[in-house]
Every structure is written in C-alpha cells, then in structure tokens.
PDB file of all heavy atoms in Angstrom:
ATOM      1  N   GLU A   1       0.070   0.603 -21.928  1.00 97.00           N
ATOM      2  CA  GLU A   1      -0.873   1.720 -21.865  1.00 97.00           C
ATOM      3  C   GLU A   1      -0.235   3.004 -22.391  1.00 97.00           C
ATOM      4  O   GLU A   1      -0.862   3.778 -23.123  1.00 97.00           O
ATOM      5  CB  GLU A   1      -1.346   1.919 -20.418  1.00 97.00           C
ATOM      6  CG  GLU A   1      -2.218   0.789 -19.897  1.00 97.00           C
ATOM      7  CD  GLU A   1      -2.509   0.929 -18.421  1.00 97.00           C
ATOM      8  OE1 GLU A   1      -2.031   1.910 -17.803  1.00 97.00           O
ATOM      9  OE2 GLU A   1      -3.219   0.056 -17.870  1.00 97.00           O
ATOM     10  N   GLY A   2       1.016   3.240 -22.013  1.00 97.00           N
ATOM     11  CA  GLY A   2       1.721   4.421 -22.490  1.00 97.00           C
ATOM     12  C   GLY A   2       1.915   4.401 -23.996  1.00 97.00           C
ATOM     13  O   GLY A   2       1.767   5.425 -24.673  1.00 97.00           O
ATOM     14  N   LEU A   3       2.241   3.239 -24.537  1.00 97.00           N
ATOM     15  CA  LEU A   3       2.410   3.117 -25.980  1.00 97.00           C
ATOM     16  C   LEU A   3       1.096   3.361 -26.712  1.00 97.00           C
ATOM     17  O   LEU A   3       1.065   4.003 -27.773  1.00 97.00           O
ATOM     18  CB  LEU A   3       2.951   1.730 -26.326  1.00 97.00           C
ATOM     19  CG  LEU A   3       4.422   1.473 -25.963  1.00 97.00           C
ATOM     20  CD1 LEU A   3       4.749  -0.014 -26.086  1.00 97.00           C
ATOM     21  CD2 LEU A   3       5.361   2.299 -26.833  1.00 97.00           C
ATOM     22  N   ALA A   4       0.001   2.852 -26.157  1.00 98.00           N
ATOM     23  CA  ALA A   4      -1.307   3.040 -26.784  1.00 98.00           C
ATOM     24  C   ALA A   4      -1.670   4.516 -26.863  1.00 98.00           C
ATOM     25  O   ALA A   4      -2.243   4.971 -27.863  1.00 98.00           O
ATOM     26  CB  ALA A   4      -2.373   2.263 -26.017  1.00 98.00           C
ATOM     27  N   ARG A   5      -1.319   5.269 -25.816  1.00 97.00           N
ATOM     28  CA  ARG A   5      -1.607   6.712 -25.831  1.00 97.00           C
ATOM     29  C   ARG A   5      -0.840   7.414 -26.946  1.00 97.00           C
ATOM     30  O   ARG A   5      -1.259   8.472 -27.432  1.00 97.00           O
ATOM     31  CB  ARG A   5      -1.278   7.332 -24.478  1.00 97.00           C
ATOM     32  CG  ARG A   5      -2.253   6.947 -23.375  1.00 97.00           C
ATOM     33  CD  ARG A   5      -2.080   7.824 -22.146  1.00 97.00           C
ATOM     34  NE  ARG A   5      -0.816   7.585 -21.476  1.00 97.00           N
ATOM     35  CZ  ARG A   5      -0.637   6.679 -20.519  1.00 97.00           C
ATOM     36  NH1 ARG A   5      -1.654   5.907 -20.137  1.00 97.00           N
ATOM     37  NH2 ARG A   5       0.537   6.536 -19.936  1.00 97.00           N
ATOM     38  N   LEU A   6       0.286   6.847 -27.353  1.00 96.00           N
ATOM     39  CA  LEU A   6       1.092   7.435 -28.423  1.00 96.00           C
ATOM     40  C   LEU A   6       0.721   6.882 -29.797  1.00 96.00           C
ATOM     41  O   LEU A   6       1.341   7.240 -30.804  1.00 96.00           O
ATOM     42  CB  LEU A   6       2.577   7.173 -28.148  1.00 96.00           C
ATOM     43  CG  LEU A   6       3.157   7.846 -26.904  1.00 96.00           C
ATOM     44  CD1 LEU A   6       4.577   7.358 -26.651  1.00 96.00           C
ATOM     45  CD2 LEU A   6       3.138   9.361 -27.041  1.00 96.00           C
ATOM     46  N   GLY A   7      -0.282   6.007 -29.832  1.00 96.00           N
ATOM     47  CA  GLY A   7      -0.731   5.465 -31.099  1.00 96.00           C
ATOM     48  C   GLY A   7      -0.024   4.198 -31.549  1.00 96.00           C
ATOM     49  O   GLY A   7      -0.179   3.781 -32.698  1.00 96.00           O
ATOM     50  N   HIS A   8       0.743   3.572 -30.639  1.00 97.00           N
ATOM     51  CA  HIS A   8       1.448   2.340 -30.968  1.00 97.00           C
ATOM     52  C   HIS A   8       0.678   1.129 -30.436  1.00 97.00           C
ATOM     53  O   HIS A   8      -0.128   1.238 -29.504  1.00 97.00           O
ATOM     54  CB  HIS A   8       2.854   2.338 -30.372  1.00 97.00           C
ATOM     55  CG  HIS A   8       3.697   3.485 -30.813  1.00 97.00           C
ATOM     56  ND1 HIS A   8       4.019   3.719 -32.129  1.00 97.00           N
ATOM     57  CD2 HIS A   8       4.311   4.478 -30.093  1.00 97.00           C
ATOM     58  CE1 HIS A   8       4.777   4.793 -32.224  1.00 97.00           C
ATOM     59  NE2 HIS A   8       4.970   5.272 -31.006  1.00 97.00           N
ATOM     60  N   ARG A   9       0.956  -0.017 -31.008  1.00 97.00           N
ATOM     61  CA  ARG A   9       0.383  -1.281 -30.526  1.00 97.00           C
ATOM     62  C   ARG A   9       1.466  -2.056 -29.801  1.00 97.00           C
ATOM     63  O   ARG A   9       2.521  -2.350 -30.361  1.00 97.00           O
ATOM     64  CB  ARG A   9      -0.148  -2.104 -31.695  1.00 97.00           C
ATOM     65  CG  ARG A   9      -0.548  -3.525 -31.313  1.00 97.00           C
ATOM     66  CD  ARG A   9      -1.101  -4.293 -32.504  1.00 97.00           C
ATOM     67  NE  ARG A   9      -1.258  -5.716 -32.192  1.00 97.00           N
ATOM     68  CZ  ARG A   9      -0.464  -6.685 -32.638  1.00 97.00           C
ATOM     69  NH1 ARG A   9       0.551  -6.380 -33.454  1.00 97.00           N
ATOM     70  NH2 ARG A   9      -0.665  -7.941 -32.290  1.00 97.00           N
ATOM     71  N   ALA A  10       1.219  -2.380 -28.544  1.00 98.00           N
ATOM     72  CA  ALA A  10       2.187  -3.139 -27.749  1.00 98.00           C
ATOM     73  C   ALA A  10       1.950  -4.631 -27.923  1.00 98.00           C
ATOM     74  O   ALA A  10       0.810  -5.103 -27.903  1.00 98.00           O
ATOM     75  CB  ALA A  10       2.072  -2.766 -26.282  1.00 98.00           C
ATOM     76  N   ILE A  11       3.031  -5.361 -28.100  1.00 98.00           N
ATOM     77  CA  ILE A  11       3.010  -6.825 -28.073  1.00 98.00           C
ATOM     78  C   ILE A  11       3.726  -7.222 -26.786  1.00 98.00           C
ATOM     79  O   ILE A  11       4.950  -7.132 -26.677  1.00 98.00           O
ATOM     80  CB  ILE A  11       3.724  -7.416 -29.297  1.00 98.00           C
ATOM     81  CG1 ILE A  11       3.088  -6.909 -30.599  1.00 98.00           C
ATOM     82  CG2 ILE A  11       3.691  -8.944 -29.243  1.00 98.00           C
ATOM     83  CD1 ILE A  11       3.917  -7.198 -31.837  1.00 98.00           C
ATOM     84  N   VAL A  12       2.958  -7.604 -25.785  1.00 98.00           N
ATOM     85  CA  VAL A  12       3.516  -7.875 -24.457  1.00 98.00           C
ATOM     86  C   VAL A  12       4.029  -9.307 -24.403  1.00 98.00           C
ATOM     87  O   VAL A  12       3.266 -10.265 -24.589  1.00 98.00           O
ATOM     88  CB  VAL A  12       2.460  -7.629 -23.362  1.00 98.00           C
ATOM     89  CG1 VAL A  12       3.007  -8.027 -21.997  1.00 98.00           C
ATOM     90  CG2 VAL A  12       2.040  -6.163 -23.365  1.00 98.00           C
ATOM     91  N   ALA A  13       5.322  -9.451 -24.176  1.00 98.00           N
ATOM     92  CA  ALA A  13       5.967 -10.768 -24.163  1.00 98.00           C
ATOM     93  C   ALA A  13       7.087 -10.767 -23.129  1.00 98.00           C
ATOM     94  O   ALA A  13       8.267 -10.704 -23.473  1.00 98.00           O
ATOM     95  CB  ALA A  13       6.511 -11.105 -25.549  1.00 98.00           C
ATOM     96  N   PRO A  14       6.753 -10.832 -21.839  1.00 98.00           N
ATOM     97  CA  PRO A  14       7.782 -10.751 -20.795  1.00 98.00           C
ATOM     98  C   PRO A  14       8.804 -11.886 -20.890  1.00 98.00           C
ATOM     99  O   PRO A  14       8.435 -13.053 -21.022  1.00 98.00           O
ATOM    100  CB  PRO A  14       6.979 -10.850 -19.493  1.00 98.00           C
ATOM    101  CG  PRO A  14       5.589 -10.428 -19.862  1.00 98.00           C
ATOM    102  CD  PRO A  14       5.405 -10.923 -21.274  1.00 98.00           C
ATOM    103  N   VAL A  15      10.083 -11.524 -20.809  1.00 98.00           N
ATOM    104  CA  VAL A  15      11.141 -12.544 -20.779  1.00 98.00           C
ATOM    105  C   VAL A  15      11.683 -12.726 -19.363  1.00 98.00           C
ATOM    106  O   VAL A  15      12.538 -13.584 -19.137  1.00 98.00           O
ATOM    107  CB  VAL A  15      12.291 -12.203 -21.752  1.00 98.00           C
ATOM    108  CG1 VAL A  15      11.783 -12.171 -23.186  1.00 98.00           C
ATOM    109  CG2 VAL A  15      12.966 -10.892 -21.384  1.00 98.00           C
ATOM    110  N   LEU A  16      11.189 -11.918 -18.412  1.00 96.00           N
ATOM    111  CA  LEU A  16      11.546 -12.068 -17.003  1.00 96.00           C
ATOM    112  C   LEU A  16      10.265 -12.091 -16.171  1.00 96.00           C
ATOM    113  O   LEU A  16       9.277 -11.446 -16.523  1.00 96.00           O
ATOM    114  CB  LEU A  16      12.415 -10.901 -16.516  1.00 96.00           C
ATOM    115  CG  LEU A  16      13.763 -10.651 -17.195  1.00 96.00           C
ATOM    116  CD1 LEU A  16      14.433  -9.436 -16.572  1.00 96.00           C
ATOM    117  CD2 LEU A  16      14.675 -11.866 -17.088  1.00 96.00           C
ATOM    118  N   ALA A  17      10.297 -12.831 -15.077  1.00 95.00           N
ATOM    119  CA  ALA A  17       9.187 -12.863 -14.121  1.00 95.00           C
ATOM    120  C   ALA A  17       9.713 -12.514 -12.733  1.00 95.00           C
ATOM    121  O   ALA A  17      10.836 -12.894 -12.373  1.00 95.00           O
ATOM    122  CB  ALA A  17       8.528 -14.235 -14.111  1.00 95.00           C
ATOM    123  N   ILE A  18       8.932 -11.772 -11.968  1.00 93.00           N
ATOM    124  CA  ILE A  18       9.347 -11.343 -10.635  1.00 93.00           C
ATOM    125  C   ILE A  18       8.895 -12.357  -9.594  1.00 93.00           C
ATOM    126  O   ILE A  18       7.717 -12.721  -9.526  1.00 93.00           O
ATOM    127  CB  ILE A  18       8.759  -9.955 -10.299  1.00 93.00           C
ATOM    128  CG1 ILE A  18       9.219  -8.914 -11.327  1.00 93.00           C
ATOM    129  CG2 ILE A  18       9.169  -9.536  -8.892  1.00 93.00           C
ATOM    130  CD1 ILE A  18      10.719  -8.728 -11.411  1.00 93.00           C
ATOM    131  N   GLU A  19       9.833 -12.821  -8.765  1.00 94.00           N
ATOM    132  CA  GLU A  19       9.549 -13.782  -7.710  1.00 94.00           C
ATOM    133  C   GLU A  19      10.003 -13.233  -6.359  1.00 94.00           C
ATOM    134  O   GLU A  19      11.025 -12.546  -6.268  1.00 94.00           O
ATOM    135  CB  GLU A  19      10.278 -15.103  -7.970  1.00 94.00           C
ATOM    136  CG  GLU A  19       9.858 -15.809  -9.248  1.00 94.00           C
ATOM    137  CD  GLU A  19      10.616 -17.105  -9.457  1.00 94.00           C
ATOM    138  OE1 GLU A  19      11.546 -17.385  -8.658  1.00 94.00           O
ATOM    139  OE2 GLU A  19      10.286 -17.846 -10.396  1.00 94.00           O
ATOM    140  N   ASP A  20       9.246 -13.549  -5.305  1.00 93.00           N
ATOM    141  CA  ASP A  20       9.601 -13.125  -3.950  1.00 93.00           C
ATOM    142  C   ASP A  20      10.837 -13.866  -3.450  1.00 93.00           C
ATOM    143  O   ASP A  20      11.077 -15.025  -3.804  1.00 93.00           O
ATOM    144  CB  ASP A  20       8.453 -13.404  -2.981  1.00 93.00           C
ATOM    145  CG  ASP A  20       7.247 -12.511  -3.213  1.00 93.00           C
ATOM    146  OD1 ASP A  20       7.361 -11.570  -4.024  1.00 93.00           O
ATOM    147  OD2 ASP A  20       6.196 -12.761  -2.603  1.00 93.00           O
ATOM    148  N   ILE A  21      11.604 -13.181  -2.604  1.00 94.00           N
ATOM    149  CA  ILE A  21      12.682 -13.804  -1.841  1.00 94.00           C
ATOM    150  C   ILE A  21      12.338 -13.624  -0.362  1.00 94.00           C
ATOM    151  O   ILE A  21      12.118 -12.494   0.096  1.00 94.00           O
ATOM    152  CB  ILE A  21      14.048 -13.163  -2.133  1.00 94.00           C
ATOM    153  CG1 ILE A  21      14.440 -13.364  -3.595  1.00 94.00           C
ATOM    154  CG2 ILE A  21      15.119 -13.752  -1.216  1.00 94.00           C
ATOM    155  CD1 ILE A  21      15.753 -12.705  -3.969  1.00 94.00           C
ATOM    156  N   ALA A  22      12.287 -14.719   0.368  1.00 88.00           N
ATOM    157  CA  ALA A  22      11.900 -14.665   1.779  1.00 88.00           C
ATOM    158  C   ALA A  22      13.108 -14.362   2.655  1.00 88.00           C
ATOM    159  O   ALA A  22      13.468 -15.130   3.547  1.00 88.00           O
ATOM    160  CB  ALA A  22      11.251 -15.978   2.191  1.00 88.00           C
ATOM    161  N   SER A  23      13.748 -13.235   2.404  1.00 87.00           N
ATOM    162  CA  SER A  23      14.925 -12.856   3.194  1.00 87.00           C
ATOM    163  C   SER A  23      14.508 -12.061   4.420  1.00 87.00           C
ATOM    164  O   SER A  23      13.437 -11.453   4.455  1.00 87.00           O
ATOM    165  CB  SER A  23      15.880 -12.020   2.342  1.00 87.00           C
ATOM    166  OG  SER A  23      15.227 -10.868   1.858  1.00 87.00           O
ATOM    167  N   SER A  24      15.363 -12.071   5.419  1.00 87.00           N
ATOM    168  CA  SER A  24      15.073 -11.313   6.643  1.00 87.00           C
ATOM    169  C   SER A  24      15.419  -9.846   6.446  1.00 87.00           C
ATOM    170  O   SER A  24      16.246  -9.485   5.609  1.00 87.00           O
ATOM    171  CB  SER A  24      15.875 -11.882   7.810  1.00 87.00           C
ATOM    172  OG  SER A  24      17.262 -11.740   7.557  1.00 87.00           O
ATOM    173  N   ILE A  25      14.748  -9.002   7.203  1.00 92.00           N
ATOM    174  CA  ILE A  25      15.035  -7.571   7.206  1.00 92.00           C
ATOM    175  C   ILE A  25      15.569  -7.220   8.591  1.00 92.00           C
ATOM    176  O   ILE A  25      14.816  -7.215   9.575  1.00 92.00           O
ATOM    177  CB  ILE A  25      13.779  -6.745   6.885  1.00 92.00           C
ATOM    178  CG1 ILE A  25      13.248  -7.123   5.493  1.00 92.00           C
ATOM    179  CG2 ILE A  25      14.084  -5.252   6.959  1.00 92.00           C
ATOM    180  CD1 ILE A  25      11.963  -6.418   5.126  1.00 92.00           C
TER     181      ILE A  25
END
C-alpha cells in the first residue's frame, strides 16, 4: 500500500511466514 502511494507496483512474494509458538508466559 505504501509503495502504491508512491507510484510503484509491488510484487508481493513472502519468503518467510509467521507461526505461533505455544510458549508459557
């Protein structure tokens, strides 16, 4: 979205994915 506001075209290609860790607090 930020790139589009600047007139750029984003090619979204995530190389990382976020996963939960069920750790205690």
